[in-house]
Amino acid sequence: MLNAVLGGQFVSRVNLKLREEKGYTYGARTAFDWRRGISPFSLQASVHTAATAAAVADSLREFEGIRGGRPVHDGEMSLARATLTRGYPRGFETAQQVARSVAQLVLYDLPDTYFEEFVPKVNAVTAGEVTRVAERHLDPTRMVTLIVGDHHAIGDSLKALQLGDAAILPVDR
């Protein structure tokens, strides 16, 4: 639910801010790269060079907001639930999809009832739980910001964001 509200769907906070409100990008999204252990969570967006620092700042504000400064509201919860549950059965239409699901049960050591319980569990998630999870797992002090672009054009504007130690890797063209 946290990912869906923050950046996992078209009407997510990050996409609405960077695409719809600011016009910096055609799309921005967040996603987990699931692993058996600790898994990375990322935000990805391709933005206009001149908007790089502003897009990073707006994205970081969205991360802070969902941690409690701007809690998730009922409309966002409803849209996230619909996104995660209405098309859920389509993930089991082919033999390949069913095999993938069985493999996930084994790979992630999930209970045999995981897929049966998914929709009811999603429907039971509260806005307060989303905030609690965001506070616990979206720690800005542990985030890494990777920017690929023309350092000469964006370097000074990025310094103002005080993102911490920067490693600038020059690329020969």
Side-chain angles (χ1 to χ4, degrees), residues 15-153:
N15 197 56
L16 290 176
K17 175 65 75 175
L18 300 184
R19 175 190 163 98
E20 301 298 314
E21 183 181 325
K22 302 290 180 111
Y24 295 154
T25 183
Y26 284 114
R29 64 183 299 268
T30 60
F32 287 95
D33 184 6
W34 294 113
R35 311 274 170 85
R36 195 165 162 87
I38 296 174
S39 302
F41 179 73
S42 63
L43 181 149
Q44 300 171 336
S46 294
V47 300
H48 304 289
T49 298
T52 302
V56 170
D58 283 336
S59 297
L60 292 173
R61 278 192 287 279
E62 292 302 330
F63 275 78
E64 282 296 336
I66 205 162
R67 294 180 81 230
R70 190 166 64 96
V72 178
H73 59 75
D74 290 342
E76 291 174 312
M77 292 293 287
S78 294
L79 284 170
R81 273 192 194 93
T83 297
L84 294 170
T85 63
R86 287 191 181 162
Y88 190 69
R90 284 193 306 264
F92 305 93
E93 290 179 335
T94 68
Q96 183 178 8
Q97 290 170 315
V98 171
R100 184 203 70 230
S101 298
V102 171
Q104 288 175 334
L105 292 176
V106 174
L107 178 63
Y108 300 115
D109 196 26
L110 299 170
D112 291 345
T113 57
Y114 175 81
F115 296 108
E116 179 182 325
E117 296 170 351
F118 181 81
V119 171
K121 285 185 175 184
V122 167
N123 286 331
V125 173
T126 67
E129 289 170 323
V130 171
T131 300
R132 180 183 53 77
V133 168
E135 287 173 339
R136 181 171 180 203
H137 296 288
L138 297 181
D139 182 355
T141 65
R142 297 180 58 209
M143 291 182 184
V144 173
T145 303
L146 172 66
I147 300 166
V148 178
D150 182 349
H151 183 264
H152 297 292

